[in-house]
């Protein structure tokens, strides 16, 4: 597939840059899924990072949102809620991968969230170094 693009594109640098962007989005997606998984293992209870964001959406009555099992079922059965959770997860993933780390979303007290954050930081640092090195390589050619 990439060989076909190499024939069509006027410069191989465009293809290499596209590959870098594709790799970054793929790793960002995987980190976002891992971060959502970490919160969902505890039914999105009030100690998870997701609870603060979900409770603001007014998905149902406030009394029902206080029950973590109902909250998890509501989010799992609502495509718009899952989309918003994925968006927040992706936001966290890219803030971590780009080494910006705004701090508005952080790991909760659960070990799964903390481990997924550590993995994301290590992957982000490695990806950042790879992209900077690749861009330097492209610029010198």
């Amino acid at each position: 597939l990439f060989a076909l693009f190499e024939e069509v594109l006027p410069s191989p640098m465009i293809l290499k840059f596209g590959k870098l962007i594709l790799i970054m989005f793929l790793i960002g997606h995987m980190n976002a899924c891992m971060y959502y998984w970490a919160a969902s293992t505890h039914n999105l209870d009030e100690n998870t990072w997701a609870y603060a964001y979900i409770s603001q959406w007014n998905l149902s009555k406030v009394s029902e949102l206080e029950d973590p099992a109902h909250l998890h079922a509501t989010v799992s059965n609502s495509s718009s809620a899952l989309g918003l959770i994925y968006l927040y997860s992706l936001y966290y993933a890219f803030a971590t991968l780009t080494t910006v780390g705004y701090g508005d979303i952080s790991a909760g007290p659960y070990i799964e969230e903390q481990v997924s954050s550590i993995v994301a930081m290590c992957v982000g640092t490695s990806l950042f170094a790879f992209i900077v090195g690749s861009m330097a390589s492209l610029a010198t050619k």
Side-chain angles (χ1 to χ4, degrees):
L1 181 66
F2 287 114
L4 177 66
F5 282 125
E6 285 178 356
E7 294 174 7
V8 176
L9 293 173
S11 171
M13 282 185 13
I14 295 171
L15 182 63
K16 289 181 181 179
F17 183 73
K19 284 181 186 178
L20 288 175
I21 296 297
L22 183 66
I23 289 170
M24 188 174 74
F25 274 97
L26 179 64
I27 291 174
H29 168 74
M30 290 175 9
N31 278 341
C33 291
M34 180 176 59
Y35 204 52
Y36 172 74
W37 168 82
S40 68
T41 58
H42 297 282
N43 289 328
L44 306 176
D45 71 10
E46 64 274 354
N47 292 321
T48 62
W49 67 268
Y51 183 83
Y53 295 97
I54 296 170
S55 62
Q56 298 172 8
W57 298 341
N58 295 324
L59 295 173
S60 61
K61 297 177 189 172
V62 175
S63 61
E64 292 175 342
L65 286 177
E66 292 172 359
D67 177 23
H70 182 269
L71 177 61
H72 189 260
T74 302
V75 170
S76 298
N77 294 326
S78 169
S79 61
S80 62
L82 276 176
L84 285 171
I85 282 288
Y86 178 73
L87 183 64
Y88 281 122
S89 298
L90 199 60
Y91 165 75
Y92 166 78
F94 278 103
T96 305
L97 289 175
T98 57
T99 67
V100 173
Y102 294 115
D104 54 345
I105 298 178
S106 60
Y110 296 120
I111 192 75
E112 294 89 353
E113 291 183 7
Q114 294 170 354
V115 169
S116 67
S117 294
I118 291 169
V119 169
M121 289 176 212
C122 292
V123 169
T125 304
S126 301
L127 181 66
F128 185 73
F130 173 75
I131 288 175
V132 168
S134 297
M135 291 297 199
S137 169
L138 287 174
T140 59
K141 290 183 180 182

